[in-house]
Amino acid sequence: MVWFRKGKGQATRRLALYYTSDIHGSERCFLKFLNAAKFYGVDTLILGGDLTGKVLVPIVEVDGHWEMSFLGRHEVLRSLEEVTEAEKRIRFNGFYPYRCGPEELARLEADRDYADAVFRRLMRESVARWVRLAEERLRGTGVRCFVMPGNDDEFDIDDALAGSDVVVNPDGAIVEIDGYQLLSLAWANPTPWNSPRELPEEELAARIERLARELDPSLPVIFNLHCPPYDSTLDSAPQLREDLSVVMVGGQPNMIPVGSRAVREAIERYQPVLSLHGHIHESRGAVRIGRTLCINPGSAYGEGVLHGALVRLEDDRVASYQLVSG
């Protein structure tokens, strides 16, 4: 972990923030995110997308006990206390527990549309529960909490993020924070997985441009763009074939840039003081594009580890930053 600092003198504008992204349903990581403000001594939290998980784990009641298959292991649960503890473990790992009986399990397995509807309901309920947790823990503390979707997140969750007096979804908007402008966008350029919030580069550029036209030129700007800039070292991922198998070179995955050209062009044009990104889990790091400090904290949600970035701004510059994990 390396601190970066430059310049001296009395700043007239300051902001200390913690940024993370790509927790993919891990309740353990979300709880760590809520604790980050107190732990790191900041008053602004930003979660930059890919909030939701991808797997439903049935817990099936059979003859007075429950059974489940989780992380490759079949488990038999003998009491409601054990079921509750199992549900906690499942959520901490980014999955969605679902209590049901054998008939319901058979329907889930036989009817893909029904299984998808159940999954989406659990996903919405999970995000709504996270919002309630944030309200309980942060209300009255003065901590600002920004949580936006990412390209992997279904539109179903947007309503769960709306209407809170503590959690703000900044996607597609410009929000002023202590004299800084936060410009946020959840969308990404096309991926091999055809995720919900993807756009061709031309359309992604148009969306960013429409937002950027609303910026006040007298105030410093922070970009909160889920997708990292193309060929920036923050967007290196394994090259995939059409069948999604990994291209290997010398026994190692062949890493290529997969970020957005539109995002890079916007950074080069508008030169925000700071640009925050996620999306590519493998590309943890920080790099400058012109005067802009660009950061991707990476993601290790599957291990229950929360990667983040602690950034302190003074006027129109980054006074210090640190990549942190916990």
Side-chain angles (χ1 to χ4, degrees), residues 58 60 62 65-77:
V60 185
V62 182
H65 66 273
W66 293 261
E67 299 182 13
M68 71 175 191
S69 295
F70 181 52
L71 299 180
R73 177 185 173 191
H74 182 76
E75 297 187 36
V76 177
L77 310 171

Side-chain angles (χ1 to χ4, degrees), residues 6 18 23 27-28 65 72 84 86 95 128 130 133 136 162 165 177 201 205 246 261 267 294 306 309:
K6 67 175 184 177
Y18 175 87
I23 64 173
E27 193 153 294
R28 176 178 296 174
H65 66 273
T84 300
F95 304 151
W130 284 7
L133 284 170
E136 292 169 4
D165 63 339
I177 314 170
E201 290 282 15
V246 176
R261 297 178 188 273
I267 293 171
C294 304
L306 186 66

Side-chain angles (χ1 to χ4, degrees), residues 99-279:
R99 297 188 198 184
C100 64
E103 292 183 358
E104 176 75 353
L105 177 63
R107 185 178 180 186
L108 290 171
E109 294 173 339
D111 188 337
R112 177 171 293 185
D113 289 341
Y114 178 71
D116 183 64
V118 171
F119 178 84
R120 287 172 180 265
R121 174 171 59 81
L122 294 174
M123 180 179 60
R124 292 192 300 270
E125 290 174 354
S126 176
V127 173
R129 184 177 65 255
W130 284 7
V131 170
R132 291 194 298 272
L133 284 170
E135 290 172 341
E136 292 169 4
R137 298 190 179 201
L138 299 180
R139 181 179 285 117
T141 65
V143 174
R144 291 163 295 217
C145 182
F146 298 97
V147 178
M148 82 171 183
N151 68 292
D152 270 351
D153 294 317
E154 300 286 349
F155 295 97
D156 301 57
I157 71 167
D158 289 20
D159 285 346
L161 291 173
S164 173
D165 63 339
V166 172
V167 176
V168 174
N169 176 7
D171 180 33
I174 295 171
V175 180
E176 186 174 337
I177 314 170
D178 292 348
Y180 294 88
Q181 300 171 97
L182 181 70
L183 183 156
S184 303
L185 196 64
W187 295 70
N189 55 310
T191 75
W193 295 276
N194 191 29
S195 56
R197 304 180 201 238
E198 296 181 8
L199 287 170
E201 290 282 15
E202 299 80 10
E203 295 181 34
L204 186 58
R207 288 204 180 205
I208 298 172
E209 179 63 22
R210 282 197 295 270
L211 284 172
R213 289 196 201 109
E214 301 176 17
L215 291 169
D216 183 341
S218 69
L219 298 178
V221 178
I222 301 168
F223 278 2
N224 172 32
L225 306 178
H226 181 65
C227 187
Y230 179 78
D231 199 20
S232 60
T233 73
L234 305 181
D235 67 324
S236 298
Q239 182 181 4
L240 301 179
R241 300 184 180 90
E242 289 188 5
D243 64 359
L244 301 183
S245 62
V246 176
V247 175
M248 306 293 287
V249 176
Q252 299 294 326
N254 187 42
M255 305 297 283
I256 62 172
V258 297
S260 168
R261 297 178 188 273
V263 167
R264 178 159 193 140
E265 290 168 2
I267 293 171
E268 290 174 343
R269 177 176 179 181
Y270 290 100
Q271 289 286 272
V273 61
L274 175 67
S275 198
L276 301 168
H277 308 279
H279 188 43

Side-chain angles (χ1 to χ4, degrees), residues 15 22 228:
L15 178 64
D22 297 83

Side-chain angles (χ1 to χ4, degrees), residues 17-30:
L17 65 86
Y18 175 87
Y19 172 85
T20 190
S21 187
D22 297 83
I23 64 173
H24 289 281
S26 171
E27 193 153 294
R28 176 178 296 174
C29 286
F30 185 74

